[in-house]
Amino acid sequence: MNLTIGLLYLVSAVLFILGMKRLSSPETARSGNLISAAGMFIAIVSTIPLLSGVTGKSAFHHHLLNYILIIAGILIGLIIGALGAYLVKMTAIPQMVALFNGVGGGAAALVATMEFLTHAHHPGTISSSFAITMLFASFIGSISFTGSLIAFGKLQGLIERPITYPLQKIVNGIILFGIVLLGIYLAGIAHNPVIFGWFFIISLLFGVLMVLPIGGADMPVIISFLNSFTGIAVAADGFTINNVAMIIGGTLVGSSGTLLTILMCKAMNRSITNVLFGAFGKVATKTSPSASIKDQNVKPITADDVAVMLAYAQLVIIVPGYGLAVAQAQHQVRELEIELEKRGVDVKYAIHPVAGRMPGHMNVLLAEANVPYDRLYEMDQINPEFKRADVVLVIGANDVVNPAARNSPGSPIYGMPILDVEQAKQTIVLKRSMNPGFAGIENELFYKPNTRMLFGDAKDSVSKLVNEVKKIK
Amino acid sequence: MTGSTVGLFLFYIFIMAIFVGFEVISKVPVILHTPLMSGTNAIHGIILIGGILVLASASSLLAFIFGFIAVVFGSINVFGGFMVTNRMLEMFKRKKK
């Protein structure tokens, strides 16, 4: 690596850091992303002079096919990436991020694999520590690849509830142990390509097995977790091919992704081990809250009644959830907010840290509908206000308002911080049906004396509310 | 520099980058967690460089196939990642008028 390339890599590293820094404020976030993209562009372009250096031969025509394939590969990736990024619906963004992360992990695993196989042809060219780095990158990248694909399948609804089987943890433990043994053999005894092939395949399998038992509600944490995995794998690849830009880029993602994963777990009051091994959402599917609650019926309500309550309220708090996102009801909700404000009603949005499918997902959707930032309140800010609220509209949210998190120690979500919706004078739950939420847990809130259910598609229901509120003179 | 000092130097950079990664996002508000995850996801697309470098030196059929897939994957990661992040953030911008 010559001085110019080194300095250009330094520039791109600085741009990555500045970009991530600017991503931490709504005003500068967009420019932050563009700055990171500029850093990426510089890093990739300044790599071009290295191409001849890698082969040791500078003759361009010797490697014409290689260069054609590089350009074709980049173009194909560009087209697929652009189509994916611009055609995906806003609600499906979490699974799109999972896919983009997965392919990154796959690329990291392949790069490490190829490095290993190349060196295996020339015995004695790698030290054990280098071999370990390659094996590590291949292992972590493979997990990230197949794990992200499973996460995609779960968020897309292709794979339903967590898949568990007897002795699952023991089987996974044995497989992990087998991978470690193969790794030790490959690094210390013989750089055998066939054994390495098995190492690679079993690592891919392990990624599948690791994510299968994890419930859909925990997928955001898993995506963040695998995102940092890919970062670490990329950094390890950077060590094996001596590329400082990859080390810095990968490490930045690895460490920030780890922090983000921890923050997300904290928001749910769970540990990462509990998320990984808890099979969350499985056990709970059939446990009902308690017989006394089960005996009660839910109390449905009509849109015109809700409209009257809303129109004469002083403070209305809206709790948006994934159901709102699925129904694409954010614009109607904004319309309702405007109508209520015209009548002097104070409208606030209560955003649970894990509302939607990812932290911040709900904010993105409401921003799309032009809801001002200052109406969005985080959990700690809004919880003391529920007492004052005349009406709380729970739109397509379920687990984040489930009192079981506070009251029933046996519940799988026990201990998760929730929005104190039940303290409000009146709670209206907009829901499609009585099916339990994504985590598969019954919700006592629906049976409380001051809760009414407005059944139907969130978009239709909110549209009706808007019309009814308009009619009230 | 000898081989081992280069390795040590890279290791220094690695350790520093860990701290920078932690520090730089420690004050991110919850509302930006999704864009941040997506934005950092795009940054690890720098693996594209690795894919390009190994494909450039490929000579066997297996290396061509693996290298080509690595480049396509890395390229999807980079372009898709930045574009989807930009699309998310555009929504934040439009409403600030």
Side-chain angles (χ1 to χ4, degrees):
Chain A
M1 189 169 76
N2 67 34
L3 188 63
T4 318
I5 296 174
L7 288 174
L8 286 171
Y9 276 176
L10 181 62
V11 170
S12 66
V14 169
L15 292 177
F16 285 159
I17 294 167
L18 286 176
M20 283 169 69
K21 184 84 208 156
R22 291 180 76 85
L23 267 174
S24 59
S25 158
E27 282 72 37
T28 56
R30 191 154 174 261
S31 66
N33 186 51
L34 295 176
I35 288 171
S36 311
M40 183 64 73
F41 181 77
I42 291 172
I44 292 169
V45 171
S46 46
T47 302
I48 294 171
L50 283 174
L51 294 182
S52 48
V54 167
T55 60
K57 296 169 238 163
S58 54
F60 187 85
H61 56 272
H62 271 199
H63 295 279
L64 191 57
L65 178 61
N66 300 52
Y67 296 118
I68 290 172
L69 283 177
I70 289 171
I71 292 164
I74 292 174
L75 287 178
I76 292 172
L78 167 66
I79 293 166
I80 297 175
L83 288 177
Y86 282 99
L87 294 183
V88 67
K89 282 188 287 181
M90 287 311 290
T91 45
I93 275 184
Q95 34 294 35
M96 214 59 223
V97 175
L99 271 190
F100 291 152
N101 174 57
V103 291
L110 286 173
V111 168
T113 300
M114 284 170 58
E115 277 298 292
F116 189 90
L117 294 179
T118 310
H119 286 289
H121 273 297
H122 312 283
T125 55
I126 26 172
S127 63
S128 292
S129 61
F130 255 106
I132 290 170
T133 314
M134 289 171 205
L135 292 166
F136 179 75
S138 176
F139 172 58
I140 297 286
S142 301
I143 290 182
S144 183
F145 178 57
T146 51
S148 298
L149 292 184
I150 299 295
F152 170 82
K154 292 205 176 219
L155 288 170
Q156 193 72 20
L158 301 174
I159 304 167
E160 292 286 313
R161 301 283 170 206
I163 295 169
T164 51
Y165 45 86
L167 302 177
Q168 190 165 31
K169 280 172 204 167
I170 294 170
V171 170
N172 285 359
I174 290 170
I175 293 173
L176 185 60
F177 186 64
I179 292 172
V180 172
L181 283 185
L182 286 179
I184 292 171
Y185 176 82
L186 286 165
I189 300 169
H191 307 318
N192 182 327
V194 179
I195 303 284
F196 185 84
W198 282 108
F199 175 85
F200 186 45
I201 291 167
I202 299 173
S203 298
L204 288 171
L205 177 71
F206 186 73
V208 174
L209 294 177
M210 194 181 86
V211 179
L212 271 185
I214 300 168
D218 284 334
M219 282 307 122
V221 179
I222 293 304
I223 296 171
S224 175
F225 182 72
L226 295 175
N227 185 37
S228 64
F229 259 39
T230 306
I232 295 165
V234 171
D237 277 340
F239 276 104
T240 67
I241 62 173
N242 254 317
N243 187 295
V244 72
M246 281 166 64
I247 294 177
I248 296 175
T251 309
L252 286 174
V253 181
S255 64
S256 66
T258 305
L259 180 60
L260 190 57
T261 311
I262 294 169
L263 292 177
M264 288 162 75
C265 285
K266 263 191 196 152
M268 297 194 294
N269 201 19
R270 304 187 39 223
S271 67
I272 184 72
T273 44
N274 184 247
V275 170
L276 287 175
F277 306 116
F280 191 62
K282 173 78 175 185
V283 269
T285 318
K286 292 292 168 238
T287 50
S288 49
S290 69
S292 62
I293 285 168
K294 263 298 185 195
D295 290 342
Q296 299 169 27
N297 286 325
V298 294
K299 295 165 284 289
I301 192 169
T302 55
D304 45 345
D305 287 338
V306 179
V308 174
M309 280 182 204
L310 291 173
Y312 294 99
Q314 285 187 327
L315 172 62
V316 170
I317 299 178
I318 297 175
V319 179
Y322 187 67
L324 177 147
V326 171
Q328 291 286 312
Q330 62 270 34
H331 299 281
Q332 282 70 22
V333 170
R334 167 69 174 152
E335 226 183 303
L336 181 65
E337 177 207 318
I338 293 170
E339 279 307 316
L340 291 175
E341 270 157 18
K342 275 188 205 156
R343 308 182 62 95
V345 181
D346 194 8
V347 180
K348 293 178 176 176
Y349 292 84
I351 311 291
H352 190 274
V354 294
R357 283 287 186 275
M358 273 192 174
H361 191 199
M362 217 31 76
N363 307 73
V364 171
L365 286 167
L366 292 173
E368 188 195 16
N370 296 329
V371 174
Y373 301 127
D374 53 13
R375 300 216 174 272
L376 307 183
Y377 291 82
E378 291 183 18
M379 185 172 62
D380 297 336
Q381 299 171 295
I382 198 82
N383 265 347
E385 301 223 28
F386 279 108
K387 290 192 278 297
R388 291 204 302 120
D390 300 293
V391 184
V392 172
L393 274 186
V394 178
I395 308 178
N398 192 343
D399 300 321
V400 298
V401 294
N402 192 338
R406 188 159 297 147
N407 306 331
S408 38
S411 169
I413 58 166
Y414 183 67
M416 178 175 97
I418 54 164
L419 293 165
D420 293 329
V421 169
E422 49 179 337
Q423 293 180 1
K425 289 167 196 140
Q426 189 65 251
T427 306
I428 311 294
V429 179
L430 277 69
K431 210 170 172 331
R432 207 193 266 284
S433 69
M434 282 308 290
N435 289 335
F438 207 47
I441 306 158
E442 279 283 356
N443 195 338
E444 300 168 34
L445 177 74
F446 305 154
Y447 305 93
K448 297 265 174 191
N450 57 350
T451 302
R452 297 287 180 277
M453 307 295 292
L454 181 57
F455 287 111
D457 175 75
K459 195 174 188 168
D460 293 344
S461 296
V462 179
S463 301
K464 277 185 208 155
L465 288 179
V466 173
N467 290 334
E468 295 295 336
V469 170
K470 276 182 186 162
K471 278 187 213 160
I472 299 170
K473 287 289 171 254
Chain B
M1 279 197 280
T2 64
S4 68
T5 46
V6 172
L8 189 62
F9 172 68
L10 291 177
F11 194 67
Y12 277 26
I13 293 176
F14 168 68
I15 297 294
M16 295 298 147
I18 291 178
F19 282 96
V20 174
F22 260 87
E23 281 305 312
V24 87
I25 75 141
S26 58
K27 292 173 202 81
V28 172
V30 171
I31 65 163
L32 285 169
H33 277 184
T34 298
L36 180 75
M37 190 197 290
S38 183
T40 57
N41 176 46
I43 291 175
H44 68 49
I46 195 148
I47 188 62
L48 176 57
I49 291 182
I52 292 172
L53 289 175
V54 290
L55 179 54
S57 57
S59 52
S60 69
L61 179 64
L62 187 69
F64 272 114
I65 295 171
F66 276 16
F68 182 69
I69 297 173
V71 169
V72 173
F73 277 7
S75 175
I76 294 175
N77 190 175
V78 169
F79 291 107
F82 281 115
M83 285 173 182
V84 85
T85 311
N86 191 52
R87 198 177 143 209
M88 271 185 231
L89 293 169
E90 259 173 6
M91 288 163 189
F92 282 87
K93 187 188 133 220
R94 209 191 302 142
K95 51 154 298 303
K96 284 192 309 177
K97 31 175 184 209

